[in-house]
């Protein structure tokens, strides 16, 4: 599975630009971005549509929303030429440069656009809707893992900022049905039909900072995900947690505790990589899960 392993040292000594949505604050120390603009370009070239935007044209606007994954009209973009300004309520957020992707979070997570994208100069971009995205993913599943690695880095930054802010009374994300029953049954068969691991109410499943060797797919009960004692997420049947440690091989970013008698399937790194490669729908489900978490942490931080 070396072709899907983005945890090693990038081939080029010069760091690659990260997607605009995943830009790093200088104050937080972390590993170099695993975003590969050449891989992104190859992915978008498979089925992407070439679009041109005149200077001043709004590509999408904040709070724009339609229902459904990659809803009608929803697209994600790879910028080829020019630059695109991302703003929120008229205030500048980030500048998208050639080689970077943008618009992916709302499209994948099925949420409203979190910013307005405006072409500052004449721009050319490749865009993907749901059909073309899935078509490209069938041919290049490694893109899913690369995008998850970028999301994992952003999540870790957000969780670190949340812990530093020492906020209390946080609204918890309700997280279920990341994987549907059919996908869970398929997963069990692929794993050799193991008996789910179980634990009683109150048991700590993983501890923040510990080494992560597997991810969890909840089959029964409810798991609380907390940061320094503050619950930020509840994971129910069909929900997943712990995947970040498999994507970037870093320590656990939060503590997980069984709120009631619970059970889950364990997926090791090799099985995880095999599933991403052989089952594009699995990769899509995890990207949706991670993007929803990124947006939730952002909302807890106030933007």
């Amino acid at each position: 599975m070396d072709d899907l392993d983005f945890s090693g040292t990038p081939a080029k000594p010069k760091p690659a630009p990260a997607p605009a949505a995943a830009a790093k604050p200088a104050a937080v120390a972390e590993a170099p971005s695993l975003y590969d603009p050449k891989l992104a370009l190859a992915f978008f070239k498979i089925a992407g549509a070439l679009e041109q935007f005149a200077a001043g044209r709004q590509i999408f606007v904040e709070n724009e929303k339609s229902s459904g994954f990659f809803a009608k009209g929803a697209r994600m973009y790879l910028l080829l030429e020019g630059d695109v300004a991302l703003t929120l309520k008229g205030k500048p957020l980030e500048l998208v440069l050639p080689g970077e992707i943008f618009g992916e979070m709302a499209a994948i997570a099925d949420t409203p656009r979190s910013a307005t994208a405006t072409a500052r100069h004449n721009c050319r971009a490749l865009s993907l809707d749901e059909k073309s995205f899935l078509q490209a993913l069938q041919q290049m599943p490694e893109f899913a893992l690369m995008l998850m690695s970028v999301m994992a880095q952003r999540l870790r930054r957000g969780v670190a900022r949340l812990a530093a802010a020492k906020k209390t009374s946080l609204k918890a994300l309700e997280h279920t049905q990341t994987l549907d029953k059919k996908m869970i049954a398929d997963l069990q068969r692929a794993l050799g039909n193991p008996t789910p691991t179980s634990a009683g109410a109150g048991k700590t499943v993983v501890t923040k900072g510990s080494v992560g060797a597997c991810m969890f797919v909840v089959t029964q009960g409810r798991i609380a995900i907390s940061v320094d004692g503050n619950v930020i997420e509840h994971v129910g049947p069909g929900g997943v947690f712990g995947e970040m440690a498999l994507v970037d091989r870093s320590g656990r970013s939060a503590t997980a505790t069984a709120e009631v008698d619970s059970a889950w399937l364990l997926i090791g790194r090799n099985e995880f990589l095999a599933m991403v490669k052989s089952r594009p729908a699995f990769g899509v489900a995890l990207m949706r899960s991670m993007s929803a978490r990124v947006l939730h942490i952002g909302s807890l931080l106030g933007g």
Side-chain angles (χ1 to χ4, degrees):
M1 294 296 168
D2 290 344
D3 56 330
L4 285 180
D5 193 345
F6 284 81
S7 61
T9 303
K12 287 190 175 184
K14 182 179 180 180
K24 298 183 297 196
V28 179
E30 62 180 46
S33 173
L34 302 178
Y35 179 73
D36 182 347
K38 288 186 177 180
L39 189 152
L41 179 60
F43 181 81
F44 273 76
K45 278 185 173 180
I46 292 173
L50 181 62
E51 298 196 42
Q52 299 189 55
F53 305 101
R57 163 87 178 274
Q58 286 188 339
I59 301 170
F60 54 77
V61 297
E62 58 202 70
N63 298 320
E64 192 175 68
K65 173 74 166 63
S66 300
S67 61
F69 170 61
F70 263 93
K72 182 179 180 181
R75 308 183 78 88
M76 59 187 292
Y77 302 85
L78 172 68
L79 188 63
L80 300 175
E81 294 178 7
D83 50 32
V84 173
L86 299 182
T87 59
L88 178 61
K89 296 179 180 179
K91 296 182 179 180
L93 291 177
E94 299 173 47
L95 185 65
V96 184
L97 301 175
E100 298 179 348
I101 61 176
F102 65 103
E104 76 281 8
M105 297 298 294
I108 293 174
D110 181 24
T111 57
R113 297 288 189 184
S114 59
T116 294
T118 306
R120 292 207 319 166
H121 301 90
N122 292 340
C123 294
R124 294 173 64 247
L126 290 172
S127 70
L128 294 170
D129 60 10
E130 178 183 4
K131 182 178 179 180
S132 55
F133 175 81
L134 294 175
Q135 179 184 341
L137 201 60
Q138 290 271 357
Q139 299 182 44
M140 191 175 287
E142 56 266 39
F143 178 83
L145 188 63
M146 182 191 72
L147 193 53
M148 280 189 279
S149 74
V150 174
M151 291 181 185
Q153 287 183 325
R154 189 176 183 190
L155 268 171
R156 290 187 185 281
R157 289 197 310 273
V159 169
R161 288 177 58 200
L162 197 62
K166 300 186 183 301
K167 292 191 175 186
T168 58
S169 301
L170 298 173
K171 181 180 179 180
L173 176 68
E174 297 295 330
H175 199 135
T176 60
Q177 297 301 317
T178 296
L179 307 181
D180 60 27
K181 292 182 178 179
K182 183 178 182 299
M183 194 176 295
I184 291 176
D186 183 37
L187 175 61
Q188 282 188 285
R189 287 191 295 271
L191 295 173
N193 292 309
T195 300
T197 303
S198 60
K203 180 176 177 59
T204 298
V205 182
V206 298
T207 303
K208 180 181 177 181
S210 61
V211 176
C214 57
M215 65 172 283
F216 303 76
V217 179
V218 178
T219 58
Q220 175 188 331
R222 181 173 156 111
I223 306 294
I225 309 298
S226 61
V227 177
D228 296 342
N230 293 314
V231 176
I232 61 173
E233 184 176 347
H234 298 288
V235 185
V240 304
F241 64 97
E243 72 277 16
M244 284 169 54
L246 297 187
V247 171
D248 61 12
R249 290 182 172 177
S250 297
R252 301 292 188 190
S253 61
T255 294
T257 307
E259 293 186 287
V260 298
D261 292 350
S262 303
W264 53 82
L265 294 172
L266 296 174
I267 304 177
R269 183 173 173 80
N270 289 338
E271 292 82 8
F272 168 78
L273 295 176
M275 288 288 291
V276 170
K277 183 174 183 179
S278 63
R279 295 166 174 81
F282 179 75
V284 168
L286 291 186
M287 283 191 290
R288 288 195 68 176
S289 171
M290 295 183 74
S291 58
R293 284 180 167 133
V294 168
L295 294 171
H296 178 63
I297 293 296
S299 70
L300 294 180
L301 289 167

